[in-house]
Amino acid sequence: MNKMNLKCLLLLLGFIYQTVAQNDDCKRNSSQCDYKPSIRQLSHTLASKFTEIVIKELGSEYTSHLEVRTAYKMNCFSESDSNILSNIVEKLEYKLSSAMNILLEMNDAITSNITPSFTHPCPFNSIRKSVFVKTNYVSDDTQSKMLDRFKDLKIKRQYFLSHMDYATDKDCTNMPHSNLRYLYHKVVHAESKLVVFIIDNNMNAESLQHAVNIAKETVYALQSSDLISLKITNMTSFIKFEDTCSSDGASNIGNATDNNKLLFREYLSTIDFSATSLSPQVIGSELKALLNESHLPENKLIIFLTDTKVVQNDVWLKIFPPSTSDRTKFVIGLLYENHTDRNFSLGILHFDKWHNHSNEHSVMKMHINDSGVIGQVASAFISLLPNDYEHCLKVETPIWEATERDFIVSMVRPTANGILGLDLYWSDLAEDVIYFKGTNKNRRAFVMDFSGKVLMHTYFPRPEAASDKIKFTSLENVESYTFINNVTKEMLLNKTGNLTVSEHNSTTKINYSWQWVKNLYIVCIVTEESAPSLFNKSNIYFTKTNKEILYHRIDLFPPKNGKICRHFKQISTIDQGTVYLSPSSFQSPFTYLYDMSDGQEAITYMQNYLAYLKSVAHGLLSNPGLKSEIQHDVGFLNSILSFYKRQHLHGGLSKYIVRRYAVTESGVLVMFPGTVLEYDYEPVRRPWYTHAVETPGKIILTSPNLDVGGAGYVVTISYSVRSPIYPTMVVAMDVTMGFLYKLLIDSSPLCAMSNIKCFIMNNKGYLVSHPGLMDPNSSGPIEQQHITHKESMIAIDMLNHKGFVTKRLCNNFYDKTIQRYYEFNTSLSSVLSNVVSGDHCVHYYIAAIPGTNAFVGLINASCNVGAFCPCSMVDRLCLNCNRMEQTECECPCECSSESYDCPNSNTSNFNQNIPLCGMIPEGNNHKSHYFHNVAENLKSCFDFQCETYMSHSACLGVMGCEWCQIDADGRSPLITPFCTSQSTCFNGVLGAVTPYGEGTFGHINRDAFASYSAIGPIAGFIVTVSLIIAVAIYCYRQNNSTASCHNLYVDGPAETWYDADVQMSHLQSDDMPDQSGQDKLLPAMEIEAPISPYRVITGYRRPHAAGGSDHGYSTMTPHEDSEATGFSVNDPTILSDDTKSDVSFPAPAKVKPRLMATDLTMTVLPCGKNSVIAPVTVHRHMEAS
């Protein structure tokens, strides 16, 4: 027995020795280590820490400990789809009826056939300031009267476009009439037409410019269904237009789309005078060939713009081929110049009998010195075509108007003398679809017209948050199921209906409920059958009402017993948390947004909201337009603020947490510290909210974003809390990016070792924490960094792990793109490492962090490997849109789906079975507000005391602090690194310009040196004086010697500063660390641009999309913030543009700057005897990523 025990003991000792030896071996030769046990342990440690953070810091379980006071309880049954649909339709019908009544009244007022065009109001130059049209309905109920206001129609403009003056209001000269003229011809000349322009460039410069202006204005008035063609008289062929359906992507004739109109204007701007031109016979034969092309519309208009030479030489009339059709019109625009007073006029020669080329033609002459008249000339040309239109009411397709940040819908009533019309806001009419509840992939709503085009969808960006025009598309491109054509037919046949269908190979049933609206629109709600809810639908709300409610506009309604202060760049208070009501909290979000933009009146509305929220008993005050559940949600969330305040002021992690907040699905948000937010901020559309709601029970980590509140780069941690008796809510907080990295280092000492990198990435592959994001020597962007950008070799190997990562496609129908993105399996139970066996010098280990959407990884690299994943560096376009292999590495990207719309396209079914991308989370796409200017004059809420942290680990991640380790030249390490304020040493570079435009020594945060002693400035003064004396002596000696003066210019960032013409693709990647130790930003002449073997030539242009948020498929270069967008930091308009109050604070501009040495020193002139001193302007660009 003793022998057995001894044997066991020896075996145990041997095992311990082997383990210790192995660990010792790991320390000695780290490249051969198996870190699987370490990474597994790290993943569990991080999981427990994140869980603890969510419980202790965010109060995810706090609701179960509430002191429940049943002020009232309420049964809240969720409405059926049919009820919701009826409400949406009723509201929309009400507004359309109001508009129709106004048009009828206008029609009665205009009886004379000589009424000129008019527009009201004129000029229209205010944004969102519309005419309120009050209802005619009378109600005895006071509350009904209050709610009627939210049904009222808002009108942008009313007008009459007369035939007699070609839709030009001569009394309203300040107003651009282009949009109204476009509308006029859309109604009067609705049929498709071909317009051919022949421009004679053998004219003097002024005449040629007038001809160009007339052509531009004419093209602007055409519809996308019209065709255009352009011929210059000295060129042998027609100008090529974009045609995605032709084999080479170009054609002599192009549709008058926005892209082709832009090309047309670009071509016209390049036309120069030519002394020679082709013969009329050659031009005539080319024109004849063009008109004989197949599939041309019946209506054709050929416009020849020239000077009086055609009157003197009859041969020019032969350019027009004979035509017997009444629908083919040939017209000459003759430009006359009066040499005495330099006046120009245009004669329109319209030939009626072409077969004999007789001189019997009509002439109309107009003076064209006025730009307004040029538009009339354009209309006169188009009006030569027959005008077949019915005298019935029409509603036109919404048109994007950038000044309004909205779509404008024109309701028109054609009459014999002209067109009566009203311009309405599409956001007003379709608000119930835009803010439709249940914005997940199982429930959605849309509005469609009777041509089958989807005009608004729950997945569309909100118009006020959209950065670019939304492209409307047909229903089959949105609901790309095999049965959708049958559903569409049913919708177009039946006024109301309910249809449940399913795909052949799927068990999921999809229900379509629809209803017509005034025979103008079809509203539909789509519901996919899903698992039944875990919770009872009749929720009981218990609300604590004894807490004071503080509305977020503390600049207008300050706390009674507290002070207002500045939290970074925001107006805040630490005495109490604030309540914010988002647009989706209101019965009419559009009315709320309209009210809030109305200056002084907005304060009155806010007082009404606040009074209603504070009223304890129901019915005491009438509802000022909030949804029914808002009062309960506010009471419930307000009770959490005392917990947030206690944790924020006394919790263990307070110095790392920027702010805490909670949001219910109705759009009510509470926040601590209490902060002023923008009135159009919509929390339920932010990535931290949408991802938390889509994956209940999981802690969500978003990739770093620049905090627009001023706290630098932050990561949002969020969690969805569901309860059978409380409203569903998401709790969240913003922590510093350094805090996540500190968690990694504190959880595993391995992460601090050389040759080892630890990182955290989310389930889409975007990095949440990585040493490259924290490195002051790194020159790349920080936001939206994907694993394929930073660790290409690892990404290439990961794709070989079956079941771990999947490359996916989704259909983003509103901008007509197919998105490619990665999805990583968060249910991964084992630790993964290199698939490709062999003696590599780079080993990686990755494990899922249980209970989160994230993974932790460890890379052990003893060498540098030059691997890369193909990425376009100029846009988001995939480098090969014709193939997608699961094992081929590429950055997340997109392909255009517009080419698949062609009638003869072989790939017309390409987007079949590609799922919808769903609602794209909103980024921060708004401009700054005056709140930041007000905040500048306030005292800081917190004294961060950065100087008290004496080590890197103590300083890392502390709010408002940076470990300063690089000198002002952006390259030299500081002899003694120190902890200081972020604005003094952003990203670890002393005096670096921050993304907020501060931080150079000319603009140091006043709080940064508040606690400094006077010794520093005195010592600095002594050193400065010594340096000046030394430089003076040196120059004096050099000036008296024959040697030339050298080494006086700073050899640093001024020469290596980022050049606007250098793309990121020209620079070294972070995947290959620069062994030379030099700055990676090299002068343009030293860099030979590598040509990617994967680059393809394409005519596709990427539109700027709403950016900033983690869509799950954005690239290294988000389209709004390309590396090529250099800008001057001295421009105050640019600096103030990207600092909007927000909660998740993803900002548009991501800047990782270096301080220019010349900003800190005097310019030192050359002191050699043969030097030539010349005044120069040096243009430098910040690196804008």
Side-chain angles (χ1 to χ4, degrees), residues 278-427:
L278 300 175
S279 70
Q281 290 82 359
V282 172
I283 296 172
S285 62
E286 285 186 11
L287 183 60
K288 185 177 181 180
L290 183 86
L291 295 177
N292 286 334
E293 285 191 21
S294 58
H295 307 298
L296 294 181
E298 199 177 351
N299 292 321
K300 300 180 186 70
L301 176 65
I302 294 87
I303 302 171
F304 180 30
L305 294 169
T306 181
D307 58 12
T308 50
K309 68 165 78 73
V310 296
V311 178
Q312 294 142 14
N313 187 355
D314 245 12
V315 73
W316 277 101
L317 299 179
K318 294 179 180 174
I319 66 168
F320 298 125
S323 171
T324 54
S325 169
D326 289 340
R327 290 181 172 268
T328 301
K329 303 291 180 184
F330 297 92
V331 61
I332 297 177
L334 278 182
L335 286 148
Y336 298 93
E337 182 184 359
N338 186 334
H339 292 284
T340 54
D341 56 1
R342 302 292 293 167
N343 271 338
F344 284 85
S345 54
L346 179 110
I348 297 178
L349 279 66
H350 170 216
F351 293 81
D352 291 319
K353 302 182 186 299
W354 290 101
H355 55 277
N356 59 8
H357 288 293
S358 70
N359 289 331
E360 296 171 20
H361 48 252
S362 54
V363 180
M364 183 173 82
K365 204 165 181 180
M366 302 171 84
H367 289 286
I368 54 170
N369 283 6
D370 180 16
S371 60
V373 178
I374 286 179
Q376 280 187 286
V377 170
S379 282
F381 279 136
I382 300 171
S383 295
L384 294 171
L385 291 169
N387 52 358
D388 305 324
Y389 64 92
E390 296 175 6
H391 293 195
C392 61
L393 187 130
K394 289 179 69 177
V395 176
E396 296 297 335
T397 307
I399 295 174
W400 177 252
E401 199 156 305
T403 55
E404 297 287 323
R405 296 198 66 77
D406 200 354
F407 289 95
I408 301 301
V409 174
S410 299
M411 181 182 278
V412 294
R413 185 182 175 87
T415 67
N417 306 315
I419 309 295
L420 285 163
L422 290 177
D423 279 356
L424 313 172
Y425 293 101
W426 187 224
S427 287

Side-chain angles (χ1 to χ4, degrees), residues 1006-1174:
R1006 62 182 175 281
D1007 297 327
F1009 293 120
S1011 57
Y1012 281 18
S1013 68
I1015 297 169
I1018 293 168
F1021 176 76
I1022 294 167
V1023 170
T1024 306
V1025 170
S1026 307
L1027 279 171
I1028 291 169
I1029 294 167
V1031 169
I1033 293 168
Y1034 183 83
C1035 273
Y1036 176 77
R1037 285 180 178 173
Q1038 288 288 63
N1039 201 37
N1040 289 324
S1041 68
T1042 54
S1044 63
C1045 183
H1046 60 280
N1047 291 335
L1048 272 180
Y1049 288 104
V1050 179
D1051 180 22
E1055 284 75 29
T1056 60
W1057 199 244
Y1058 176 75
D1059 188 277
D1061 298 324
V1062 183
Q1063 297 291 345
M1064 283 297 291
S1065 54
H1066 304 169
L1067 308 177
Q1068 284 183 297
S1069 162
D1070 281 352
D1071 299 330
M1072 295 169 281
D1074 187 0
Q1075 298 303 312
S1076 67
Q1078 294 177 347
D1079 197 323
K1080 295 178 186 178
L1081 295 174
L1082 301 175
M1085 67 282 292
E1086 293 178 21
I1087 300 165
E1088 187 175 349
I1091 298 168
S1092 168
Y1094 298 91
R1095 193 78 185 97
V1096 291
I1097 305 301
T1098 172
Y1100 168 60
R1101 284 187 181 81
R1102 166 74 189 124
H1104 296 292
S1109 60
D1110 179 2
H1111 297 179
Y1113 40 77
S1114 49
T1115 69
M1116 181 173 181
T1117 56
H1119 21 86
E1120 274 201 299
D1121 313 304
S1122 155
E1123 281 81 357
T1125 51
F1127 61 87
S1128 164
V1129 77
N1130 298 317
D1131 186 346
T1133 58
I1134 289 175
L1135 294 180
S1136 63
D1137 266 356
D1138 297 319
T1139 50
K1140 171 185 174 285
S1141 297
D1142 206 318
V1143 178
S1144 62
F1145 301 101
K1150 302 170 283 295
V1151 182
K1152 211 178 175 188
R1154 304 282 183 273
L1155 178 76
M1156 290 179 272
T1158 44
D1159 287 343
L1160 304 179
T1161 58
M1162 297 181 293
T1163 304
V1164 185
L1165 300 176
C1167 40
K1169 289 181 178 176
N1170 300 321
S1171 302
V1172 177
I1173 299 174

